[in-house]
Amino acid sequence: MTTSRHTTATTRLVGRRLSQTEEAAVCYAAGMKPIDVSETVHAPIESVFAIISDIPNAAETIAGINTIHMLTEGPVGMGTKWRETRTFWGKTAEETMWIIDWHPPTRYVVEARSHGTHYLTTIHLEEIGQHETRVSYSMVAEPETVMSRVFMV
């Protein structure tokens, strides 16, 4: 797993240990882009993909996500769209996201646009052994407005 060199400083600043998502945001703000995090999971690739692509139930399996409101019907796949409410650094935010690339059980890509920034998140799974899966998360954030560029410096 990739970790931040800013962990100790931000823990002192914020007063608590940061989640991986919060830590990744600090890394990005410090000019380290894209954000890349990976972890080995001791489970078959199909089982891991089933859990991480279960968008309707993500609030039950992903810390920080409060609610999911599905905006499309049917099974999760290409074109699935949802609104997610989450808590990040103590603040609640609502974002709309959608799947733009879908290749079960190895990969999917999520797109979002929020506050002048275009986000692309790739979740990639790789079978690395019997009942072992490498899960990689990569997010790229591109500012699309002057103000979003200022806040990303």
Side-chain angles (χ1 to χ4, degrees):
M1 177 171 74
T2 306
T3 58
S4 168
R5 61 186 164 98
H6 302 282
T7 300
T8 304
T10 53
T11 299
R12 275 185 263 163
L13 179 68
V14 177
R16 64 180 172 77
R17 182 154 165 63
L18 301 178
S19 70
Q20 280 188 336
T21 304
E22 292 168 329
E23 189 174 326
V26 170
C27 290
Y28 183 80
M32 295 177 268
K33 46 186 176 176
I35 297 168
D36 294 308
V37 178
S38 63
E39 187 73 44
T40 299
V41 178
H42 300 287
I45 192 169
E46 292 83 6
S47 299
V48 176
F49 191 86
I51 292 168
I52 67 169
S53 64
D54 184 8
I55 306 301
N57 295 305
E60 297 171 24
T61 58
I62 301 174
I65 296 179
N66 303 331
T67 61
I68 297 287
H69 176 72
M70 298 305 294
L71 301 174
T72 54
E73 294 182 11
V76 173
M78 184 70 160
T80 296
K81 192 172 191 176
W82 68 97
R83 186 174 310 113
E84 177 179 296
T85 304
R86 60 187 129 107
T87 303
F88 187 72
W89 285 357
K91 296 183 181 183
T92 300
E94 188 175 273
E95 306 295 341
T96 300
M97 304 175 191
W98 54 95
I99 295 174
I100 62 166
D101 195 21
W102 181 254
H103 298 281
T106 59
R107 186 180 85 148
Y108 69 97
V109 179
V110 175
E111 182 174 20
R113 282 193 155 80
S114 178
H115 304 291
T117 303
H118 179 219
Y119 298 93
L120 286 175
T121 303
T122 301
I123 293 97
H124 181 261
L125 282 71
E126 177 185 9
E127 194 169 49
I128 57 173
Q130 186 175 4
H131 302 292
E132 280 197 319
T133 304
R134 165 78 58 195
V135 180
S136 300
Y137 167 98
S138 180
M139 185 188 69
V140 176
E142 288 294 326
E144 297 181 313
T145 66
V146 172
M147 288 307 292
S148 65
R149 282 184 178 82
V150 168
F151 285 109
M152 285 195 172
V153 174

